[in-house]
Amino acid sequence: KQEELYPLPPLTVPNGPRPSYFTCRHNYENTLIDEIERYTRIISGDGKVVKASSPYPGLVRVEDDNKDAALPTLYDPVYALQTMPECVVVTAESIKGIAREVIAALLGNNESNNGDDGDSTVSIVDEKSKALRKKIRTAPRGSLTIHPLVPGMCKGQSNPLRLHRSVKIGEEISKMLKKSYPAARKAPQQQQLNNNNDDDDDDNNNNGNSTLPKEQWVLQMMLQSPNIAVACLTQCHHVGPGNNAYWPNALHPLGLAKVDIIEKMPS
């Protein structure tokens, strides 16, 4: 029974390749890998290839080392439940240290920073990070959702290994981002009411619950060992038909909706 993610990913470096992750139903990992590899062969006429593997049940990692990425950033495979595109891979010993490293790698950090707990954040100059920081600074208030994740969630475990630590890291990331990025702050109450009213008018099945703003961002952070995390920050693309149909999925972590299934279904 696999409880640990293996192999662990190598740490990413500024302006270097970044792995992407996809989640899928358990036992569909090879099917998703085949779909990704076939898609790459079809769209790439110059021999570009990607390396796809499954380090954990329900999880597929894609390494695209091509100078020009072979896969679109928001590639949406049929067998994928969720995407974590262009992830950074960071390490630190403490909860605050990992949170700082995630933010520095995703959004760039021009100064070395030694934390109170002894972890250090190195100077990072990354073109993708600079462009992303510019966009997220102008994102509307309340448009960012943070998903703290662990591999065990891919198997639907109710209390997976290291979930508590991952949640604490997510809380630290939220606190740090709120200082500089309005998107990480709570949306104004009037905006929430307007969103509810818009959804009631446009989508009768939504009932005004779990509404999302027109512009939506999601920061996904998966703790893959006690001190290694992968993370991505993505502006979601509205795919419809419902108001809440975004890719990546900003409402349900890993694309897994919470449902209660009774043991004996009625005949």
Side-chain angles (χ1 to χ4, degrees), residues 141-217:
R141 184 168 178 169
S143 60
L144 175 64
T145 301
I146 298 176
H147 290 170
L149 312 167
V150 291
M153 296 170 64
C154 298
K155 295 195 295 184
Q157 295 177 348
S158 58
N159 187 27
L161 188 67
R162 302 191 186 98
L163 178 59
H164 179 74
R165 181 174 174 85
S166 182
V167 169
K168 290 298 182 182
I169 295 170
E171 292 173 355
E172 286 296 331
I173 291 174
S174 178
K175 291 178 185 177
M176 294 176 184
L177 289 178
K178 286 177 180 178
K179 298 176 182 178
S180 302
Y181 300 94
R185 301 167 192 159
K186 191 174 182 180
Q189 185 175 6
Q190 186 58 46
Q191 177 181 324
Q192 294 176 345
L193 292 174
N194 291 340
N195 285 341
N196 288 349
N197 292 335
D198 290 343
D199 281 339
D200 286 339
D201 293 338
D202 299 336
D203 187 353
N204 291 330
N205 293 326
N206 190 58
N207 296 323
N209 296 323
S210 301
T211 57
L212 299 177
K214 301 301 181 183
E215 182 177 334
Q216 179 67 21
W217 292 75

Side-chain angles (χ1 to χ4, degrees), residues 88-102:
V88 297
V89 186
V90 302
T91 184
E93 293 300 323
S94 68
I95 289 174
K96 289 185 178 180
I98 293 177
R100 279 196 299 269
E101 292 291 342
V102 165

Side-chain angles (χ1 to χ4, degrees), residues 10-237:
L11 302 181
T12 50
V13 297
N15 300 309
R18 297 182 177 186
S20 295
Y21 287 83
F22 296 91
T23 63
C24 63
R25 291 183 60 186
H26 187 21
N27 295 327
Y28 279 77
E29 298 87 357
N30 289 336
T31 304
L32 177 56
I33 289 172
D34 181 65
E35 179 185 1
I36 293 170
E37 292 178 342
R38 283 190 292 108
Y39 180 85
T40 305
R41 290 195 296 268
I42 291 173
I43 67 169
S44 176
D46 53 2
K48 291 181 180 178
V49 295
V50 297
K51 180 181 178 182
S53 60
S54 178
Y56 193 86
L59 187 66
V60 169
R61 178 167 62 220
V62 177
E63 298 170 78
D64 188 348
D65 296 334
N66 299 285
K67 184 177 181 181
D68 297 320
L71 291 177
T73 301
L74 293 181
Y75 172 50
D76 185 1
V78 173
Y79 284 93
L81 299 175
Q82 178 70 309
T83 178
M84 295 177 63
E86 298 184 339
C87 291
V88 297
V89 186
V90 302
T91 184
E93 293 300 323
S94 68
I95 289 174
K96 289 185 178 180
I98 293 177
R100 279 196 299 269
E101 292 291 342
V102 165
I103 294 173
L106 287 176
L107 298 175
N109 180 40
N110 295 324
E111 299 178 357
S112 296
N113 179 20
N114 291 322
D116 296 336
D117 49 11
D119 287 312
S120 62
T121 301
V122 298
S123 178
I124 295 176
V125 179
D126 186 286
E127 293 303 319
K128 289 182 179 179
S129 299
K130 289 170 61 177
L132 197 59
R133 182 175 68 242
K134 184 176 180 180
K135 292 184 67 176
I136 193 66
R137 279 197 185 280
T138 59
R141 184 168 178 169
S143 60
L144 175 64
T145 301
I146 298 176
H147 290 170
L149 312 167
V150 291
M153 296 170 64
C154 298
K155 295 195 295 184
Q157 295 177 348
S158 58
N159 187 27
L161 188 67
R162 302 191 186 98
L163 178 59
H164 179 74
R165 181 174 174 85
S166 182
V167 169
K168 290 298 182 182
I169 295 170
E171 292 173 355
E172 286 296 331
I173 291 174
S174 178
K175 291 178 185 177
M176 294 176 184
L177 289 178
K178 286 177 180 178
K179 298 176 182 178
S180 302
Y181 300 94
R185 301 167 192 159
K186 191 174 182 180
Q189 185 175 6
Q190 186 58 46
Q191 177 181 324
Q192 294 176 345
L193 292 174
N194 291 340
N195 285 341
N196 288 349
N197 292 335
D198 290 343
D199 281 339
D200 286 339
D201 293 338
D202 299 336
D203 187 353
N204 291 330
N205 293 326
N206 190 58
N207 296 323
N209 296 323
S210 301
T211 57
L212 299 177
K214 301 301 181 183
E215 182 177 334
Q216 179 67 21
W217 292 75
V218 60
L219 192 159
Q220 301 176 82
M221 188 283 304
M222 178 180 285
L223 192 63
Q224 299 199 340
S225 80
N227 61 352
I228 294 180
V230 301
C232 63
L233 175 61
T234 316
Q235 183 174 1
C236 304
H237 175 63

